[in-house]
């Protein structure tokens, strides 16, 4: 591999293995955006064109893109109710990051809800919620598995 036209293959490879890969491993949390849409197929076509890639997950009533640039978990669903932003969130990469987010939530002194382990959006997750001063719901969550169902029966989803 030649970088900048003057590096030897060895130097280019060392640059990638010693600097670039470790920096990428430091990237952790990801912003989450959930939209309610009128027509899922039309919206999937729009967002797959906008993002330049197909959804990571696509179901009859739901689609999700796990984008790395920008680092976003962007999901859409055909659901009843007002269309547009359903909620925003921050997705943790592990349980420790989720605990850090929960500590941040508790320091806001807002009305928080610790939902705990649940199934939502075809995923098994551990979640907490807070509403900002404008009334926008924020979710902090860690996903630890996939699900065949949109939501568990014991908890409402989104």
């Amino acid at each position: 591999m030649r970088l900048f036209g003057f590096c030897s293959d060895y130097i280019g490879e060392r640059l990638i293995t010693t600097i670039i890969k470790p920096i990428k491993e430091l990237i952790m949390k990801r912003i989450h955006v959930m939209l309610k849409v009128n027509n899922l197929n039309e919206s999937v076509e729009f967002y797959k064109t906008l993002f330049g890639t197909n959804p990571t997950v696509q179901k009859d009533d739901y689609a999700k893109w796990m984008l790395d640039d920008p680092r976003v978990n962007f999901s859409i669903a055909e659901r009843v109710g007002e269309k547009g932003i359903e909620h925003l969130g921050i997705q943790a990469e592990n349980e420790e990051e989720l605990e850090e987010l929960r500590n941040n939530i508790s320091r806001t002194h807002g009305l928080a809800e610790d939902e705990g382990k649940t199934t939502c959006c075809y995923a098994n997750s551990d979640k907490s919620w807070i509403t900002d001063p404008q009334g926008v719901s924020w979710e902090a969550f860690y996903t630890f598995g996939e699900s065949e169902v949109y939501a568990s029966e014991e908890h409402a989803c989104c």
Side-chain angles (χ1 to χ4, degrees):
M1 164 185 284
R2 294 236 182 257
L3 296 175
F4 312 112
F6 60 85
C7 292
S8 72
D9 291 342
Y10 173 76
I11 293 172
E13 190 62 34
R14 282 203 32 96
L15 177 68
I16 289 171
T17 58
T18 60
I19 297 174
I20 296 172
K21 283 185 181 177
I23 289 172
K24 285 186 91 173
E25 290 172 6
L26 291 175
I27 299 171
M28 296 178 194
K29 299 174 197 77
R30 140 185 343 251
I31 291 293
H32 170 56
V33 177
M34 172 61 171
L35 301 180
K36 284 185 183 176
V37 298
N38 289 317
N39 182 310
L40 187 74
N41 292 331
E42 178 181 68
S43 296
V44 165
E45 286 302 313
F46 175 84
Y47 288 111
K48 101 175 165 181
T49 302
L50 180 66
F51 299 145
T53 188
N54 290 323
T56 308
V57 174
Q58 187 167 0
K59 306 290 184 176
D60 291 339
D61 58 348
Y62 174 82
K64 174 174 71 176
W65 287 260
M66 294 294 282
L67 304 171
D68 288 323
D69 185 17
R71 195 158 164 79
V72 174
N73 169 341
F74 183 87
S75 56
I76 59 176
E78 269 187 30
R79 298 309 231 198
V80 296
E82 190 174 330
K83 306 308 181 216
I85 294 176
E86 163 63 31
H87 64 269
L88 301 173
I90 302 172
Q91 181 176 3
E93 293 293 322
N94 55 52
E95 292 173 357
E96 292 79 24
E97 285 184 7
L98 180 59
E99 191 57 36
E100 176 187 333
L101 291 168
R102 285 180 167 147
N103 288 335
N104 292 348
I105 286 170
S106 70
R107 287 196 309 273
T108 67
H109 304 293
L111 183 58
E113 177 191 349
D114 184 14
E115 185 175 357
K117 293 185 177 170
T118 188
T119 298
C120 184
C121 299
Y122 297 99
N124 298 316
S125 301
D126 189 359
K127 299 182 175 198
S128 291
W129 294 87
I130 187 79
T131 302
D132 76 9
Q134 288 68 238
V136 176
S137 295
W138 280 82
E139 167 188 35
F141 65 103
Y142 165 63
T143 297
F144 51 85
E146 296 178 4
S147 172
E148 292 298 315
V149 297
Y150 186 81
S152 62
E153 293 180 22
E154 0 4 295
H155 293 109
C157 180
C158 301

